[in-house]
Each structure stands twice: as C-alpha cells, then as structure tokens.
Amino acid sequence: MSINRVMLSGFIGREPEYRQTASGLPILSFSLAVNERRKNNQTGNYDDYTNWVDVTAMGNRCNFLSQNLHKGMKVSLEGRLRYSKWERDGQTRSKLEVIADEIEFMSQRQQGQPQSQGQYVQAEVYDEPQQGAFDDGIPF
C-alpha cells in the first residue's frame, strides 16, 4: 500500500486561474509559496527559502474559490501529488503538482471585505481507484 497525502500552508503567489475542461469540469490553478527555514553555515543565521508549489482544485467549489482566493492570501491545504508529463515543441516536459482536496483560508481577503478566518472548503475528490485496483499480489 502507498500513501499519497500532502499538507501545506503558505501564501498564494499569483492570482488563481479559473477554467473548464471540454466536458465542463471546473478547474482552478494557482501557485503556493511555502517557506523553509535553513541554517546558513557561513553566517550561523537562519535563512528562509521559498518553495513554489503548483496547486490545482477541481469541481463545483472552484467558482467559489476563484471569487475568494487572491494573491497574497495565506491558506492551508490538504491533497495529493500528481505527476504529469507531456511533449511541447519537440521537448518532453513534466510537472509535479498538488491536487487540493481541502482548502482552509488562514487570512482575510485583500479586497476590502473580510473573509472569516479559518473558513474551510472541501474540494470534490476525483479519480478514485476502483475496488481491487491495487490487489496485485505485492506482499507489502
């Protein structure tokens, strides 16, 4: 059995992009800045390093999220990792992103009207494996 769960908190780095698939599935994409504090061996001080994480949410809640998530807001999320690979202009490209299942607002909106702190939004879960999909006889 494997576990694919990610929990992050950080600041939204760009305005979320709302779009729909050809079948009408709403999708919201944004980047999340997650800081990591490391000790600088030369100075002895601790420095912050920013990790940029691509986040995608899917489903009916994307309309609400697109109206309430903005660049600079602090959020906490839980989801799973997804690896994508494609070819463009003859070059193979790849991306590791987080598919958000749950998003919690940890700061207020920037556009004047306060958003209640700690508001919790659970995203819809897609691509659930079918029963028995992982029963391939692996003993661990």
Side-chain angles (χ1 to χ4, degrees):
M1 178 173 118
S2 1
I3 298 173
N4 183 0
R5 295 305 300 163
V6 175
M7 295 175 66
L8 298 170
S9 73
F11 295 91
I12 296 176
R14 61 178 162 83
E15 283 298 319
E17 297 175 23
Y18 177 86
R19 65 184 192 282
Q20 290 185 338
T21 63
S23 64
L25 176 68
I27 296 177
L28 188 72
S29 301
F30 58 93
S31 62
L32 191 69
V34 180
N35 288 335
E36 174 185 354
R37 184 162 276 209
R38 290 186 249 163
K39 188 172 184 176
N40 185 329
N41 290 332
Q42 295 175 350
T43 64
N45 296 329
Y46 286 88
D47 297 328
D48 286 329
Y49 294 90
T50 303
N51 296 300
W52 290 98
V53 180
D54 290 328
V55 179
T56 301
M58 294 181 242
N60 294 330
R61 291 174 180 82
C62 290
N63 189 34
F64 170 81
L65 290 171
S66 69
Q67 295 172 9
N68 291 283
L69 289 179
H70 300 283
K71 180 179 176 179
M73 287 182 66
K74 186 169 187 178
V75 297
S76 173
L77 61 87
E78 183 175 345
R80 61 194 186 280
L81 292 174
R82 181 173 71 182
Y83 177 76
S84 301
K85 189 175 178 180
W86 68 96
E87 190 170 314
R88 182 189 299 166
D89 300 328
Q91 293 185 356
T92 302
R93 299 177 185 259
S94 63
K95 173 168 118 171
L96 185 64
E97 65 184 329
V98 173
I99 304 300
D101 295 328
E102 301 170 4
I103 298 175
E104 183 175 347
F105 301 165
M106 299 180 70
S107 67
Q108 294 183 348
R109 290 181 62 174
Q110 290 183 329
Q111 295 182 347
Q113 298 178 353
Q115 180 76 29
S116 62
Q117 189 162 342
Q119 184 168 355
Y120 175 81
V121 177
Q122 182 173 355
E124 295 176 17
V125 178
Y126 291 90
D127 299 324
E128 288 296 318
Q130 297 176 359
Q131 186 174 8
F134 298 107
D135 297 337
D136 55 359
I138 299 175
F140 52 91

